[in-house]
């Protein structure tokens, strides 16, 4: 499954840093008017733990209709077409980097999916900038 998430604006800016330090760290993403992304969550079916077994009755690891509903609630409703820094309370205190978007999605999916089923969240900011989050383990590709 693939979800395309459009964030109208976000500002990469840490309240812990000066304006000069923020500009040096985040570059053009520290634009005072914000910047936008079309994040892609690719291969989201891989969020299911690889060791899970196929249910012999249903023939599925998980019902895809349920998974789509969980993704809608955990990802699309809170984030799609939003200014992350202004419209999503989580990002009022957390810098809206792709890494933190992955953590936000992970936390939201963890609340909805059956325990032990979530394996990873993979967020593509661009073709070259990809974050894979596996709970406390983050991998930047």
């Amino acid at each position: 499954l693939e979800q395309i998430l459009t964030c109208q604006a976000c500002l990469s800016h840490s309240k812990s840093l000066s304006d000069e330090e923020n500009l040096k760290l985040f570059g053009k993403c520290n634009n005072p008017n914000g910047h936008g992304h079309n994040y892609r969550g690719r291969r989201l079916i891989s969020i299911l733990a690889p060791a899970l077994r196929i249910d012999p009755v249903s023939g599925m690891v998980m019902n895809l209709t349920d998974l789509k509903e969980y993704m809608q609630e955990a990802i699309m409703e809170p984030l799609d077409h939003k200014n992350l820094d202004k419209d999503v309370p989580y990002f009022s205190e957390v810098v809206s980097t792709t890494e933190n978007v992955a953590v936000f999605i992970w936390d939201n999916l963890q609340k909805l999916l059956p325990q032990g089923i979530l394996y990873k969240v993979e967020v593509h900011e661009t073709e070259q900038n990809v974050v894979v989050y596996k709970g406390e383990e983050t991998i930047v590709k």
Side-chain angles (χ1 to χ4, degrees):
L1 296 175
E2 178 174 288
Q3 294 282 359
I4 298 174
L5 173 67
T6 301
C7 296
Q8 298 294 58
C10 57
L11 172 63
S12 296
H13 186 87
S14 173
K15 295 177 184 176
S16 302
L17 301 174
S18 70
D19 288 344
E20 183 178 294
E21 291 169 317
N22 272 292
L23 183 58
K24 183 177 179 182
L25 179 62
F26 297 113
K28 66 181 180 180
C29 293
N30 187 245
N31 181 334
N33 295 319
H35 64 284
H37 290 287
N38 291 324
Y39 293 106
R40 290 182 180 270
R42 291 200 176 157
R43 298 182 299 275
L44 283 174
I45 196 64
S46 66
I47 65 171
L48 304 177
L52 294 176
R53 299 189 188 276
I54 296 172
D55 181 281
V57 176
S58 69
M60 298 182 278
V61 171
M62 181 176 196
N63 185 312
L64 289 181
T65 301
D66 293 341
L67 179 58
K68 286 178 186 178
E69 288 175 9
Y70 295 146
M71 290 169 62
Q72 179 68 28
E73 184 177 340
I75 303 167
M76 302 307 286
E77 287 176 14
L79 300 177
D80 194 33
H81 286 84
K82 301 285 174 55
N83 179 323
L84 296 182
D85 300 308
K86 294 181 180 180
D87 299 331
V88 183
Y90 177 85
F91 292 106
S92 66
E93 298 298 322
V94 175
V95 181
S96 56
T97 60
T98 306
E99 293 87 343
N100 284 327
V101 169
V103 171
F104 177 85
I105 292 170
W106 173 276
D107 290 346
N108 279 359
L109 284 171
Q110 279 284 65
K111 295 173 190 172
L112 299 173
L113 291 168
Q115 186 174 355
I117 203 166
L118 186 59
Y119 173 64
K120 71 179 180 179
V121 169
E122 186 171 319
V123 179
H124 293 238
E125 179 180 306
T126 68
E127 289 296 320
Q128 291 79 34
N129 297 335
V130 180
V131 172
V132 177
Y133 184 71
K134 296 180 177 182
E136 293 300 312
E137 178 185 350
T138 302
I139 303 165
V140 178
K141 289 185 178 180

